[in-house]
């Protein structure tokens, strides 16, 4: 049978996993929901009651720092159907970029034939990584940093792996290098893998940009 | 042969096992554990690829799920909740070497992608390195 994947974000407490506290996680509607990485301001923030406009997102964008790397401050889930936590459109992803383990969760409802991996691409064509945030053609320079937290905390001030494309070393394995997922145990409905992700803009980066890209989970089944 | 079946396994004892008709239910994991003589794999063209003489065989599906577009509203593409099947892998193992036939399952962009739907790429790997340099499960 097809192994289905559900992607989730922790909105409450990044010290608890989905298995024990599923109510802390939002399941993403991939047709309508999206993530907003932003510095945030009085308008673009947690618990917005309307979808932010492009102008509002521009005004709340992170600023390139001339003297230090800049980690984008917030990650918001734009919950289009506002089906989590009442009538709010945006929710802050808890623990993003911090030394937290249970931030982004990947729920598989069965076995896989290999270890799932997390990638980043310009778009769903999965054939380019030309965005500035993905290294502008040099994947190792990607500003998108990811770390597998399935087995442990990422550590204080974790650096992560610069992810862009599917070349060697430019994606992360989500089962901590332990290979494929086995069949579910009796009574289980899913098994979870975890990652933390952040965006770090290099010091005095020359090209300001507003870019969209996709995060992709690549996996297999028999 | 039933042209709808994804694969047909011929065992050394002369018995036959038929695969499913959909990649959402291939029946690969239901193949009995006994010596296999050859397997006929259905290709998107309707032709069959026959692998025989190997110690073990594998077949699995590679899919991607674009689980999040990131950014603002302008220019964002719509994604889909369903996984996108990228490739089917048909593999044979002999003397520690995996012969992999990777079958493209989606149309590439003309002038940009090297592969079109149905294209088959043959490669060889050391066992344990057969998928992005990593091992796979499901060997029969």
């Amino acid at each position: 049978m097809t192994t289905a994947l559900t992607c989730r974000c922790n909105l409450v407490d990044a010290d608890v996993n989905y298995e024990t506290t599923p109510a802390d996680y939002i399941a993403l509607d991939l047709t309508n929901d999206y993530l907003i990485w932003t510095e945030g301001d009085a308008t673009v923030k947690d618990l917005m009651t309307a979808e932010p406009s492009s102008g509002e997102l521009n005004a709340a964008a992170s600023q390139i720092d001339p003297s230090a790397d800049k980690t984008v401050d917030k990650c918001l889930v734009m919950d289009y159907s506002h089906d989590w936590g009442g009538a709010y459109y945006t929710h802050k992803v808890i623990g993003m970029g911090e030394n937290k383990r249970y931030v982004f969760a990947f729920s598989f409802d069965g076995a896989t034939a290999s270890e799932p991996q997390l990638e980043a691409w310009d778009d769903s064509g999965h054939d380019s990584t030309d965005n500035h945030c993905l290294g502008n053609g040099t994947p190792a320079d990607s500003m998108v940093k990811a770390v597998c937290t399935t087995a442990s905390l990422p550590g204080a001030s974790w650096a992560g792996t610069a992810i862009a494309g599917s070349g060697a070393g430019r994606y992360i394995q989500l089962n901590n290098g332990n290979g494929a997922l086995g069949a579910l145990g009796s009574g289980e409905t899913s098994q979870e893998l975890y990652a933390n992700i952040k965006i770090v803009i290099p010091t005095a980066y020359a090209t300001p940009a507003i870019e969209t890209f996709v995060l992709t989970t690549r996996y297999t089944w028999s | 042969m039933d042209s709808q079946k994804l694969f047909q396994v011929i065992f050394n004892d002369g018995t036959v096992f038929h695969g499913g008709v959909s990649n959402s239910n291939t029946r690969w994991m239901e193949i009995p554990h006994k010596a296999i003589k050859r397997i006929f794999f259905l290709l998107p063209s309707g032709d069959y690829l026959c692998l025989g003489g190997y110690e073990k065989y594998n077949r699995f599906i590679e899919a991607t799920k674009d689980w999040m577009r990131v950014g603002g509203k302008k220019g964002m593409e719509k994604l889909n909740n369903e996984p996108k099947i990228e490739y089917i892998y048909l593999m044979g193992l002999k003397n520690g070497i995996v012969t992999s036939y990777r079958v493209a399952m989606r149309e590439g962009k003309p002038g940009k992608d090297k592969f079109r739907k149905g294209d088959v790429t043959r490669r060889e790997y050391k066992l344990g390195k057969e998928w992005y340099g990593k091992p796979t499960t499901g060997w029969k």
Side-chain angles (χ1 to χ4, degrees), chain A residues 5 14-19 25 99-108 115-118 146-155 172-182 191-197 217:
Chain A
L5 164 64
D15 290 324
V16 298
N17 63 31
Y18 178 79
E19 296 90 320
Y25 291 77
N99 184 22
K100 296 293 183 182
R101 184 174 171 188
Y102 302 115
V103 181
F104 298 96
F106 307 88
S107 295
F108 295 85
E115 181 162 354
Q117 58 193 44
L118 175 65
V147 61
C148 172
T149 55
T150 298
S152 61
L153 288 162
I172 64 166
Q173 294 180 272
L174 288 170
N175 196 23
N176 203 41
N178 289 317
L181 300 177
Q191 49 192 329
E192 278 67 39
L193 304 177
Y194 297 92
N196 204 336
I197 304 165
T217 305

Side-chain angles (χ1 to χ4, degrees), chain B residues 108-121:
Chain B
K109 295 176 184 173
K112 192 165 187 180
D113 291 334
K114 290 190 292 185
F115 302 106
R116 306 293 300 273
K117 184 175 182 179
D119 284 356
V120 179
T121 305

Side-chain angles (χ1 to χ4, degrees), chain A residues 46-69:
Chain A
D46 193 17
L47 303 181
M48 295 178 69
T49 53
E51 184 176 14
S53 67
S54 296
E56 289 169 336
L57 291 170
N58 260 342
S62 292
Q63 303 294 307
I64 295 169
D65 190 320
S67 57
D69 290 352

Side-chain angles (χ1 to χ4, degrees), chain A residues 1-2 5 7 28 30-32 34-35 52 113 123-126 212-213 215-221, chain B residues 23-24 61-73 77-79 81 84 86 106 131 134 136-137:
Chain A
M1 299 294 285
T2 302
L5 164 64
C7 303
L28 299 172
L30 304 184
T31 304
N32 293 308
Y34 55 92
L35 295 181
D123 54 46
S124 64
H126 302 163
T212 63
F213 63 97
L215 294 165
T216 301
T217 305
R218 187 179 301 273
Y219 69 107
T220 59
W221 69 85
Chain B
N23 282 312
S24 64
I61 298 143
E62 175 184 318
T64 56
K65 190 158 190 175
D66 295 320
W67 62 275
M68 190 47 66
R69 56 197 166 163
V70 177
K73 290 162 62 177
E77 61 177 320
K78 283 281 188 182
L79 298 180
N81 282 304
K84 183 165 49 185
E86 304 274 358
R106 67 169 172 141
W131 189 77
K134 308 295 188 307
T136 59
T137 61

